[in-house]
Amino acid sequence: MHVRIRGAIGVAAVAMSLVAAGHVLTQPGVSHAGHSYVYSAEQARAMVEQQAIPGSEFRANCGSSHRRQDDPIVFQNQPGVSHMHEFFGNRTTNAQSTLTSLRAGTTNCNPVSDKSAYWVPTLYKNGQAVAPDSVTIYYQGIHDRQKAVAYPQGLRYVVGNSKATSPDQNPAARWSCTTQSPSSRDFLNCPAGTKVETYLDFPTCWNGRDLDSANHRDHMAFAVGLVCPASHPVVVPRLEFLITYPVNGTGLSLGGTLNGTNVTSAPGYTFHGDFMNAWDQAELERRVRNCINAGYICGTDGNP
């Protein structure tokens, strides 16, 4: 089986204060607690330990579809409330999105059987929004692959900590430069000839019951020691974003929040991501069975 090496973050992270100034995007006083989350030490260790583990997989190649101040998980039915997000895949994703609306919509993903919604905070270079060059969505079997099952229709969850005030508060954030292996929880000054890229890894254990939870995380868990906890016994594929941006150097920031106000100046260690599953269920199940369970590396067609 082909092994793809991923950059791993060093143990030491340099603490940085949250950028205190930025362009205001919307009204102050809005709670963004849904994207704020402090992982337990056990879950943080599991998250970091799994970041470089290869596995069986299939993938979808998606483009940046649109950009808007919506978040249908954290701020459902509240258009314009969120900080700015970059949406991939489903072209119809907005604050009112549901499984029904996504399934009725269209996608820019290859394969077109993936109508899921994916989004992350918008990246800025010197205050100007930057669309990604490419977005690859991996679905991987990194432990107990033969037990992995397809996500249920409508499953949604969030990973990362948008309110982190230092790199150590967000083990999900992982930035690197193309053609180079080191990575960091905050932006790197990528040299000329390279591009900024980011990986984002989602948990692999589901409680088998809930499609969502109050904080959009508790129904999912990371596998400790590559074993799902008894509270979350169902193994699902690891969702991983690989996003490459056509920029390098300095002057990078993210859409985020500061004291309840939406800004464009959040640091790299506030990176986070969201997922709403709207795959064609039969096609998703086929790929999990033929690629992940069987131990193969598959392409966008879902074939080894």
Side-chain angles (χ1 to χ4, degrees), residues 235-297:
V235 181
V236 294
R238 175 174 70 181
L239 183 64
E240 180 180 74
F241 296 176
L242 170 54
I243 307 171
T244 304
Y245 297 90
V247 293
N248 54 36
T250 59
L252 301 177
S253 62
L254 293 172
T257 60
L258 178 66
N259 298 327
T261 299
N262 290 325
V263 299
T264 63
S265 58
Y269 53 75
T270 64
F271 196 66
H272 54 280
D274 303 59
F275 166 60
M276 291 179 66
N277 177 38
W279 273 85
D280 175 87
Q281 192 66 18
E283 188 59 24
L284 179 61
E285 290 174 358
R286 181 186 74 83
R287 290 164 189 257
V288 170
R289 181 174 61 251
N290 292 353
C291 303
I292 290 179
N293 297 153
Y296 289 113
I297 301 291

Side-chain angles (χ1 to χ4, degrees), residues 30-275:
V30 174
S31 170
H32 289 259
H35 270 147
S36 176
Y37 188 76
V38 178
Y39 291 92
S40 70
E42 184 179 60
Q43 285 286 284
R45 278 195 303 272
M47 187 186 305
V48 172
E49 288 169 357
Q50 293 167 32
Q51 285 174 350
I53 296 177
S56 53
E57 68 181 38
F58 61 91
R59 67 179 185 269
N61 293 334
C62 307
S64 179
S65 174
H66 55 287
R67 183 182 302 138
R68 59 196 307 158
Q69 290 176 238
D70 285 359
D71 188 327
I73 293 180
V74 176
F75 295 115
Q76 192 171 36
N77 298 320
Q78 300 178 66
V81 169
S82 173
H83 57 251
M84 194 67 75
H85 282 112
E86 204 79 20
F87 291 88
F88 316 122
N90 200 299
R91 295 184 177 94
T92 69
T93 312
N94 59 33
Q96 287 87 16
S97 288
T98 62
L99 173 61
T100 299
S101 71
L102 293 176
R103 292 296 303 148
T106 60
T107 181
N108 64 17
C109 288
N110 175 18
V112 295
S113 52
D114 180 12
K115 291 187 176 182
S116 301
Y118 310 96
W119 63 98
V120 297
T122 297
L123 179 74
Y124 293 84
K125 168 83 170 178
N126 297 324
Q128 299 297 311
V130 179
D133 259 354
S134 64
V135 180
T136 303
I137 309 295
Y138 293 100
Y139 291 81
Q140 301 169 321
I142 63 169
H143 67 91
D144 296 322
R145 61 174 174 79
Q146 294 176 323
K147 297 179 181 178
V149 299
Y151 305 109
Q153 289 275 289
L155 182 71
R156 58 181 68 191
Y157 54 107
V158 176
V159 70
N161 182 8
S162 71
K163 302 298 284 295
T165 58
S166 66
D168 63 330
Q169 292 184 358
N170 190 8
R174 186 156 51 123
W175 297 93
S176 56
C177 308
T178 56
T179 75
Q180 300 185 3
S181 58
S183 62
S184 170
R185 291 181 186 171
D186 204 0
F187 296 120
L188 295 171
N189 184 353
C190 293
T194 69
K195 298 178 181 180
V196 172
E197 65 181 5
T198 183
Y199 290 95
L200 189 64
D201 299 298
F202 289 70
T204 57
C205 304
W206 176 45
N207 68 10
R209 252 187 349 267
D210 303 310
L211 298 180
D212 200 354
S213 50
N215 62 6
H216 316 297
R217 291 173 174 80
D218 284 350
H219 58 306
M220 305 296 297
F222 287 89
V224 177
L226 298 181
V227 176
C228 283
S231 59
H232 296 73
V234 181
V235 181
V236 294
R238 175 174 70 181
L239 183 64
E240 180 180 74
F241 296 176
L242 170 54
I243 307 171
T244 304
Y245 297 90
V247 293
N248 54 36
T250 59
L252 301 177
S253 62
L254 293 172
T257 60
L258 178 66
N259 298 327
T261 299
N262 290 325
V263 299
T264 63
S265 58
Y269 53 75
T270 64
F271 196 66
H272 54 280
D274 303 59
F275 166 60

Side-chain angles (χ1 to χ4, degrees), residues 3 13 28 268:
V3 174

